[in-house]
Amino acid sequence: MIEIRRAGPADGDALGRIHAAAWEAAYGPFFEPEFAAREVRSRRTRWHARVAAPAQPSTEVSAQAQAQAPAGRGTILLAEVEGRPLALSVFLPSPARPGLAEIATFYGHPDGWGTGVAAALMTETLRRLSGEGCAGAHLWTLRDTPRSRRFYAKCGFTETGATRTFDFGEGNLLAQVEYERTG
């Protein structure tokens, strides 16, 4: 059974395990091994402060908090299968696209890939942001991650044609593409 709920202060370890495992599997190959290992370790611990602090609009988040939690603060959802945490999402009002939400973070643990937990979490994420009055959502993903791009397309997102580069801190600029879903 899949259960989806808002993450709370006790969920820092679970969120960190999901983020670290998913990031390592999807993004690790783009980086030098030492950098990738350091980033995986960082992702295991960065969620504690995020779930302990009260949510704030993204415009009020300090530069330090942004660095520790690149997606800013927002609603953090956690999906569990038979009590095991396997996926997370973070969404907030889009600072760039009025009326839309930005899905700033969406990760599924590799152990959950293909089980339907990520699809269930996306459905619930979209339901909640719609309930908050958002007309739709947009997100960014790495251009060279076909698994995530297929997933977003399967969930009804389409490419907007917008692109940008993102530096995870190594100086290696990676191309990202934007996806959007309205209605």
Side-chain angles (χ1 to χ4, degrees):
M1 181 172 143
I2 298 172
E3 179 188 344
I4 300 168
R5 61 180 173 78
R6 192 173 186 136
D11 294 317
D13 285 339
L15 295 166
R17 281 190 300 273
I18 294 165
H19 191 187
W23 194 94
E24 182 175 31
Y27 300 160
F30 294 107
F31 302 103
E32 293 297 323
E34 300 79 25
F35 179 82
R38 187 171 54 251
E39 289 300 298
V40 167
R41 283 191 304 275
S42 168
R43 279 156 177 77
R44 283 192 187 111
T45 59
R46 68 174 58 174
W47 289 92
H48 293 280
R50 219 161 148 198
V51 291
Q56 301 173 10
S58 62
T59 55
E60 295 177 18
V61 178
S62 72
Q64 181 181 9
Q66 289 278 352
Q68 291 174 344
R73 289 197 173 96
T75 300
I76 304 170
L77 298 181
L78 180 62
E80 300 175 329
V81 177
E82 304 296 329
R84 182 178 177 200
L86 287 174
L88 71 99
S89 72
V90 179
F91 65 91
L92 60 155
S94 174
R97 311 272 302 276
L100 295 181
E102 180 171 354
I103 299 175
T105 303
F106 197 95
Y107 286 105
H109 193 288
D111 290 351
W113 292 355
T115 66
V117 66
L121 177 59
M122 181 60 78
T123 297
E124 181 63 11
T125 299
L126 294 169
R127 186 190 72 74
R128 289 190 187 209
L129 65 87
S130 175
E132 292 181 12
C134 295
H138 73 110
L139 57 85
W140 293 90
T141 193
L142 290 183
R143 180 192 65 208
D144 296 327
T145 53
R147 177 184 292 275
S148 66
R149 294 181 71 184
R150 281 192 308 269
F151 173 76
Y152 296 130
K154 190 174 163 182
C155 291
F157 285 80
T158 57
E159 287 187 56
T160 67
T163 62
R164 68 182 185 188
T165 57
F166 188 79
D167 181 354
F168 282 90
E170 184 190 40
N172 180 12
L173 296 177
L174 299 175
Q176 291 185 314
V177 293
E178 182 185 40
Y179 280 77
E180 176 182 84
R181 178 176 161 162
T182 55

